[in-house]
Amino acid sequence: MLGLALRAFARRRDGSVSVISAISLPVLIAMAGLVAEYGNGLLHKMENQRVADAAAFAAATAYVANSSASITSVADAIAVDNGLPSSAVAASLVSSPTGDGKQAVEVTVTTRQPLMLTQVLGNGATALSVSATSFAELGGGAAGCIIALSNSGTGVTLNSAAGITANACAVDSNAAVSLSSASDITTIQVHYNSASAPSINSASAIRAPAGKSVTITKGPTADPLAGNAAVAGAVARLTSGVVGSSSAGVESMASPAAPSVSTGSNVTLSASTLTGTLPSGCTASGTGSSRTITCASGGTYTFGSVSALSTGHLTFALSGVSPTTFNFSGGVTASSSARISFPNGTYNIVQGVTVGSASSIGFGAGSFDIGPSASNCSDGFKYSLCVQSSTSLTFGGPSSFTLGGGLYAGSSADITLGSGTTNSFDLGAGGSGFAVQTSSSSAIVFGDATGASDVFQAVGNIQAVSAACVALPNAANHDINGSLIAASASNTTFGGGVYTVAGYMLDQSASGGGGCLSSTAGTGGTGVTFVLGATSTPGSGTCSGMAICVTSASGLSLNAPTSGDLAGLAAIGPISTTNTAGALFQSASSGSLGGAFYLPNGAITVSSAASLGGGSTTCLMLIGSQVSVSSASAVGSTCSGLGDSAGASKVILVQ
């Protein structure tokens, strides 16, 4: 009986287990399905979030570049590129969820994922809706206009009542930002990347412009011009691609050789006596100290040297207007208040043109190939054009010049090289190593060289000293295998175009002077861009090691182009990491600087009460390895980015 009872009990227990199993198994399967479906949903939400972020960022970037761009079209394109239908994306322009008052692009990506295992629940659901939303804020950051790129330098530093005013741009540093001794920064954003926040002490402050707010954030700053094709192309000209030169680039340019002509007879007018044998086709007329040599037009005439002395007036004339060539195996000289006049033509002068005290020489328009003089100028060196004190030398234009020995202007001398717009210049170095050398109160004016085949090339330094004035031409390119030097209250006027300079740019006034470098607007409103190789720099003194050095400069005015590949760029320093030549601005006031000064490996220093920028429309940018402003100096900028095209309104994903 007991055995039968036990067997009956066992049969009843087996049945209970079967019933429990039958009831619980679907629940277990449903729970497993829910876990699997949830994990699958999270995976798809992550994918949707990735697409939403990319679409929001791309749409916001397009909108910043062009406010008429279709946000929806850009977002749809990103979705399609990621394998989703455009119907899965919704995009709109909304207020930023950060609450800072800025706009943002909102993108929501929604997909439906099929339900598989959970269908055993029998609730009829066959798919799960999965959404992800992203916000890309417009103008979430300001483009930097004062930028210290090195992460190992001092960054941006201000001291001794110095100030930076950047109402529409940021002050950025890959190292520290430090202010002391009543210095201040007025800006909308400060970006630092040091271990600690900006150091502010001794009555210093970081302020917001009126009606705005300032943000201080930590993180790296990218070089806004790194990899810029226009910058790389401009720098490459230093080593390759110089038009009209057999050299590889500006740094390899050599002085042109003196012309080679056959030997002629010397002709001299001294007081009332004319001596020498004239070439066939030329005749002399006149009496006393005034004589005329007339040559039949269309020929080639070879002289030795030609000289006018002791108040003599010698005039060369042509019988017609046909192109005529004059060759001189010697030089051309006027001295002791003498005068010489030449007509239009082609001139090959082996031993230079020399104008003595109180004398003058004038040439018509033409082509001039002139070698160095046989004797020294008053500075002790030989030049192709030697114009002594209180004298004048004038060339009509348009003309082309090949001056193997450069030119020299003595005290109060005047030199005019060409007129009109289609002149061309190939200048070599004189014995002093200068392509252009001046002395007290002299003036040298170059005609413009804006024709398609015109060049301005110089081997040697171009220097203006002691209240001298040098007016360089408008030209697409100014290629100078030397340096630009202005000193002692001199004035150098730069015509529009690019200046590719192998050496350095120096404006250093003597004590009490007011030297200045300035730039004219140039033809068509073109400004100037300096590209500095700094293969040589000043070896001593305040400017030692500098690619750009401006000291005691009043009326400093340099303005970058407003259009073209180099728009907004005022100066480009060495971009090789092995050349750390920097820039110094000292005691510069009452002028204007417009454009970016870009020295990625060199420090930029503003000191001694210098005042840079600050005008109501002055777009100034200083980009160096580090930037230092001190001693009551002031830097001002109205920039919102490089040429207003370097990301004045950055895009940031905020949610």
Side-chain angles (χ1 to χ4, degrees):
M1 291 295 294
L2 180 60
L4 290 172
L6 288 174
R7 285 194 294 272
F9 177 78
R11 285 195 299 270
R12 287 193 299 272
R13 187 175 182 183
D14 288 344
S16 298
V17 170
S18 297
V19 171
I20 292 172
S21 297
I23 294 172
S24 62
L25 183 58
V27 175
L28 292 174
I29 293 174
M31 291 177 65
L34 286 173
V35 172
E37 302 292 13
Y38 180 73
N40 190 46
L42 287 178
L43 177 63
H44 284 288
K45 185 174 180 63
M46 291 172 60
E47 289 295 319
N48 288 354
Q49 189 66 58
R50 179 182 63 81
V51 175
D53 290 345
F57 190 86
T61 301
Y63 186 81
V64 166
N66 181 4
S67 60
S68 64
S70 171
I71 293 173
T72 300
S73 296
V74 174
D76 288 349
I78 296 297
V80 171
D81 287 343
N82 284 271
L84 298 179
S86 60
S87 59
V89 179
S92 59
L93 190 64
V94 299
S95 296
S96 175
T98 62
D100 60 5
K102 295 183 174 68
Q103 290 182 307
V105 171
E106 178 186 11
V107 172
T108 299
V109 176
T110 303
T111 58
R112 292 184 62 79
Q113 303 304 320
L115 297 175
M116 304 300 292
L117 294 174
T118 54
Q119 292 188 38
V120 301
L121 294 174
N123 64 358
T126 60
L128 175 68
S129 179
V130 179
S131 295
T133 299
S134 181
F135 293 87
E137 187 175 86
L138 310 179
C145 53
I146 309 298
I147 305 176
L149 294 172
S150 174
N151 56 17
S152 60
T154 57
V156 175
T157 61
L158 290 84
N159 61 66
S160 302
I164 293 176
T165 301
N167 291 341
C169 55
V171 175
D172 292 343
S173 173
N174 273 322
V177 174
S178 303
L179 298 87
S180 62
S181 303
S183 297
D184 63 82
I185 295 176
T186 301
T187 186
I188 56 176
Q189 186 176 48
V190 172
H191 207 209
Y192 70 97
N193 199 33
S194 58
S196 57
S199 173
I200 305 173
N201 54 62
S202 302
S204 300
I206 296 177
R207 303 182 176 88
K212 298 182 180 180
S213 60
V214 59
T215 60
I216 300 176
T217 58
K218 180 180 180 180
T221 294
D223 182 342
L225 294 172
N228 182 284
V231 170
V235 172
R237 192 174 182 85
L238 288 163
T239 55
S240 64
V242 174
V243 176
S245 173
S246 59
S247 61
V250 171
E251 294 174 356
S252 302
M253 283 167 39
S255 298
S260 177
V261 302
S262 59
T263 302
S265 176
N266 295 339
V267 174
T268 301
L269 174 63
S270 178
S272 59
T273 303
L274 180 65
T275 61
T277 301
L278 301 179
S280 176
C282 297
T283 60
S285 61
T287 59
S289 62
S290 182
R291 304 296 181 94
T292 299
I293 296 175
T294 303
C295 301
S297 65
T300 297
Y301 304 99
T302 300
F303 297 81
S305 61
V306 170
S307 304
L309 314 172
S310 304
T311 69
H313 183 191
L314 184 59
T315 301
F316 282 73
L318 296 174
S319 62
V321 295
S322 300
T324 304
T325 299
F326 293 92
N327 294 328
F328 301 85
S329 57
V332 175
T333 302
S335 63
S336 302
S337 301
R339 294 177 291 163
I340 305 177
S341 301
F342 291 96
N344 297 346
T346 297
Y347 291 84
N348 300 298
I349 306 173
V350 176
Q351 294 185 336
V353 175
T354 301
V355 189
S357 178
S359 300
S360 66
I361 296 178
F363 290 87
S367 174
F368 301 91
D369 189 350
I370 306 175
S373 59
S375 58
N376 291 336
C377 267
S378 56
D379 71 339
F381 298 99
K382 297 177 174 65
Y383 296 87
S384 290
L385 304 181
C386 173
V387 184
Q388 307 283 23
S389 62
S390 302
T391 61
S392 68
L393 174 61
T394 302
F395 295 86
S399 294
S400 64
F401 299 87
T402 302
L403 307 178
L407 59 149
Y408 170 83
S411 176
S412 299
D414 289 318
I415 302 176
T416 300
L417 297 165
S419 63
T421 60
T422 55
N423 303 277
S424 192
F425 304 92
D426 187 359
L427 312 180
S432 62
F434 285 84
V436 176
Q437 176 65 293
T438 61
S439 54
S440 177
S441 301
S442 59
I444 301 175
V445 178
F446 290 84
D448 288 342
T450 55
S453 59
D454 296 337
V455 299
F456 182 91
Q457 297 176 353
V459 175
N461 298 335
I462 295 176
Q463 177 166 269
V465 300
S466 304
C469 174
V470 175
L472 297 175
N474 294 301
N477 293 287
H478 307 74
D479 297 320
I480 302 168
N481 188 5
S483 297
L484 294 169
I485 303 171
S488 302
S490 63
N491 180 11
T492 302
T493 300
F494 294 104
V498 179
Y499 289 76
T500 307
V501 182
Y504 56 88
M505 184 170 73
L506 171 66
D507 179 8
Q508 189 172 38
S509 179
S511 59
C516 70
L517 295 172
S518 63
S519 63
T520 59
T523 303
T526 304
V528 295
T529 299
F530 295 94
V531 181
L532 302 165
T535 55
S536 64
T537 58
S540 61
T542 302
C543 295
S544 178
M546 295 293 170
I548 302 172
C549 188
V550 179
T551 65
S552 301
S554 178
L556 176 67
S557 179
L558 296 174
N559 295 293
T562 57
S563 61
D565 292 342
L566 296 176
L569 288 170
I572 302 170
I575 63 175
S576 169
T577 56
T578 60
N579 191 329
T580 58
L584 171 65
F585 299 94
Q586 207 173 58
S587 305
S589 62
S590 70
S592 65
L593 290 179
F597 287 76
Y598 177 61
L599 295 94
N601 306 298
I604 298 177
T605 302
V606 185
S607 65
S608 303
S611 179
L612 305 184
S616 61
T617 60
T618 303
C619 179
L620 172 68
M621 295 181 70
L622 301 179
I623 307 172
S625 61
Q626 55 196 44
V627 178
S628 173
V629 186
S630 64
S631 304
S633 296
V635 175
S637 177
T638 62
C639 284
S640 59
L642 180 59
D644 293 328
S645 64
S649 296
K650 294 180 180 178
V651 171
I652 296 178
L653 291 174
V654 293
Q655 186 173 309

